[in-house]
Amino acid sequence: MKVVVIGGTGLIGSKVVEKLNAHGHEAVAAAPNTGVNTLTGEGLAEVLEGASVVVDVSNSPSFADDAVMEFFRTSTTNLLKAETEAGVTHHVALSVVGTERLQDSGYFRAKQVQEELIKESGIPYSIVHATQFFEFMKGIADMSTEGDTVRLAPVKIQPIYSDDVAAAVGRTAVGAPVGGVVEIAGPDVFQLDELIRKGLAAKGDPRKVVTDPHAPYSGAEVQESTLVPGPGAQIAETRFADWLAQQK
């Protein structure tokens, strides 16, 4: 089948395209650098011609509250309209475990709007909620840094390897629409502050991690289970320790 991957040249999108093509599907990477822009609508009608499935793994170039809301609202609206006109029969979007619990964060408010637009579109859909990627651990540290101190809450986190995310998104794309959310996570549960402390130490990063129960995560206060999936989640195989060892 023809699968158009919005954000198909990024970290996850490029892997989804590669995996789908390896399994005999026609996966097309769609992004501004391939002439497809969901914010302006440029190239959408052309790339969606003959497509059965659209996978949206795109992300906002800015995480500022207003900019990220504008990105997800506009791009999702344009994309769903073009899909309806093209006769697409399955819309797959990548979102984040805990989105509905992180509504004090401008980023996650925008992701929630994206999900609501998808649910209301009338197009059969599947939403994949992933936990944070291994590759994002440094980013979590960076957004929680003041001076040389990283403040993090002692809450649970169950990170996942980007390859495993791409595989799950690809499987979802070629399956029947679930009409709801599929959760995916890595095999190990950590305490967020301890995980980042280990990760920084492994990289020789001198920043000090301070445990602060009220430290915000992406602008939102988090509880013990905010960032981890429910009991029905698909659990990937790659362990953080094995991935970390390969990065050295």
Side-chain angles (χ1 to χ4, degrees):
M1 64 177 70
K2 180 180 177 180
V3 182
V4 174
V5 182
I6 306 296
T9 60
L11 172 66
I12 300 297
S14 58
K15 295 180 178 185
V16 173
V17 169
E18 181 183 340
K19 290 176 186 295
L20 287 174
N21 282 329
H23 283 85
H25 299 286
E26 180 192 353
V28 180
N33 59 2
T34 71
V36 179
N37 189 322
T38 53
L39 282 177
T40 65
E42 176 194 358
L44 270 180
E46 293 79 7
V47 78
L48 292 181
E49 191 172 334
S52 301
V53 182
V54 168
V55 173
D56 186 3
V57 294
S58 62
N59 210 348
S60 175
S62 167
F63 283 10
D65 285 4
D66 289 347
V68 73
M69 181 62 79
E70 173 67 16
F71 175 84
F72 281 116
R73 190 187 298 279
T74 302
S75 63
T76 304
T77 298
N78 288 341
L79 183 56
L80 292 169
K81 181 176 182 290
E83 288 177 34
T84 299
E85 293 169 354
V88 170
T89 55
H90 190 186
H91 179 97
V92 180
L94 178 61
S95 195
V96 190
V97 163
T99 290
E100 70 284 0
R101 300 187 289 271
L102 289 161
Q103 292 299 294
D104 287 341
S105 161
Y107 180 81
F108 289 101
R109 284 196 298 273
K111 290 296 288 182
Q112 188 70 29
V113 165
Q114 178 193 25
E115 293 188 23
E116 293 303 326
L117 288 169
I118 293 165
K119 292 173 184 176
E120 295 165 3
S121 70
I123 299 170
Y125 71 92
S126 304
I127 296 172
V128 179
H129 271 194
T131 53
Q132 295 297 330
F133 310 159
F134 294 166
E135 290 88 346
F136 287 176
M137 294 304 108
K138 181 181 182 299
I140 291 173
D142 291 348
M143 74 179 184
S144 307
T145 295
E146 301 168 4
D148 60 355
T149 299
V150 185
R151 293 191 176 278
L152 292 164
V155 297
K156 292 177 181 176
I157 189 169
Q158 195 169 341
I160 186 170
Y161 182 29
S162 61
D163 263 29
D164 293 335
V165 175
V169 170
R171 286 195 304 271
T172 303
V174 299
V178 300
V181 172
V182 176
E183 290 191 315
I184 58 173
D188 300 311
V189 179
F190 300 92
Q191 192 167 293
L192 177 60
D193 53 333
E194 292 179 356
L195 176 65
I196 301 302
R197 193 175 285 119
K198 284 180 186 175
L200 293 181
K203 295 286 188 181
D205 191 314
R207 284 178 288 179
K208 180 183 179 183
V209 176
V210 173
T211 303
D212 178 354
H214 299 292
Y217 178 92
S218 190
E221 190 157 320
V222 286
Q223 306 301 318
E224 173 77 359
S225 60
T226 300
L227 305 178
V228 293
Q234 297 177 12
I235 303 301
E237 294 185 357
T238 309
R239 297 190 176 279
F240 182 73
D242 296 335
W243 174 84
L244 195 62
Q246 294 171 0
Q247 306 309 301
K248 295 178 181 177

